[in-house]
Amino acid sequence: LVTCRYLPSVFFNVKVLLAIDDSQSMLANRADQFTVDSLAVLSGALNTIESGQLAVCKFGAQPAELLHPLDQPFTAEAAAGVAAKLTFQQADTKLMQLLPLATQLLAESRTSSAAQLLLVLTDGTFSDHMHPGVERCLRLAREARIFPVCVILDSPAGRASVYDIRSQQFVREAQGARRVTLVPYLDLFPFPFYLVVRDIAQLPSVLSEALRQWFEVVNAAF
């Protein structure tokens, strides 16, 4: 679990919303096997600083669903309950089914001393990643002092790596003409901060490191 010795003895309240991609494509990454381990990492990190709250939701093609609220302790039983509600059967992954709810939930729970993190656990292949609303929602989250981070599980089993995917981009030329060009998918990835995990077994340690770096950034800012 995360060791937080670098944190001051008096720290602000930390609120983390973990959003888990509940789509079918996550099964290719054995996401179900590592979900509980990841939840344990986050819970342990927040328990270490004794002032954290963790909420969990799932999202996909359907509207996001809150599985665990911020105002309830995240115990081992709560983690098991969350894992039992994940089906990994949704047919698509849409950010616009997640971001408005996530921003609203965290914004409504804000206190003057709160630091807030939206941590999205996904294989990264959002069908609406170029939707104009996605960039707007992420901008609103940052303006609300919510720090969005995407953790991409990239352990392909018979499918393309996120590094190999190409997206279509329209390029405007002279006299208003447009042509289509293919660019790396990650070049157009909407999240300003993301991590790519290629060895799924390293997910818990990667989450620990992501939390450590985030704590350092936020601690420096406050």
Side-chain angles (χ1 to χ4, degrees):
L1 298 180
V2 177
T3 300
C4 297
R5 288 189 294 256
Y6 50 85
L7 292 172
S9 57
V10 177
F11 193 60
F12 43 79
N13 184 34
V14 179
K15 299 178 186 290
V16 178
L17 173 58
L18 174 65
I20 300 175
D21 182 349
D22 194 44
S23 67
Q24 294 173 351
S25 59
M26 288 283 282
L27 288 177
N29 288 320
R30 295 181 293 136
D32 54 336
Q33 179 179 343
F34 292 92
T35 295
V36 173
D37 288 344
S38 303
L39 293 171
V41 167
L42 289 168
S43 177
L46 296 177
N47 288 337
T48 299
I49 63 175
E50 298 181 345
S51 61
Q53 293 177 296
L54 174 64
V56 184
C57 71
K58 67 178 182 180
F59 72 105
Q62 304 300 318
E65 178 183 348
L66 185 64
L67 304 181
H68 181 81
L70 281 167
D71 59 359
Q72 294 183 13
F74 196 79
T75 61
E77 291 78 12
V82 165
K85 295 174 184 176
L86 296 168
T87 65
F88 301 108
Q89 292 299 317
Q90 297 195 46
D92 201 356
T93 308
K94 297 183 178 180
L95 283 170
M96 288 305 297
Q97 298 291 13
L98 166 68
L99 294 176
L101 172 70
T103 301
Q104 178 182 359
L105 188 153
L106 288 171
E108 290 178 349
S109 69
R110 172 168 298 286
T111 62
S112 59
S113 61
Q116 298 182 309
L117 172 66
L118 169 60
L119 195 60
V120 181
L121 191 62
T122 176
D123 64 3
T125 52
F126 305 115
S127 61
D128 63 346
H129 69 285
M130 296 182 66
H131 189 292
V134 168
E135 184 176 349
R136 183 181 70 253
C137 286
L138 286 171
R139 184 178 67 252
L140 291 174
R142 296 297 306 279
E143 291 174 355
R145 297 169 64 201
I146 297 168
F147 193 79
V149 177
C150 187
V151 179
I152 301 173
L153 308 180
D154 189 48
S155 181
R159 65 182 184 87
S161 164
V162 70
Y163 289 109
D164 299 327
I165 299 173
R166 296 293 182 267
S167 294
Q168 290 185 348
Q169 184 178 41
F170 291 97
V171 178
R172 188 174 297 278
E173 297 182 326
Q175 300 178 344
R178 296 197 305 173
R179 64 180 175 87
V180 177
T181 184
L182 294 179
V183 299
Y185 175 77
L186 290 178
D187 284 2
L188 302 176
F189 199 65
F191 281 84
F193 306 100
Y194 65 86
L195 301 167
V196 179
V197 182
R198 306 215 71 182
D199 181 357
I200 192 67
Q202 297 301 312
L203 177 59
S205 62
V206 168
L207 285 177
S208 295
E209 177 63 15
L211 277 176
R212 184 190 67 79
Q213 292 186 19
W214 178 72
F215 283 144
E216 289 180 343
V217 168
V218 176
N219 187 40
F222 279 76

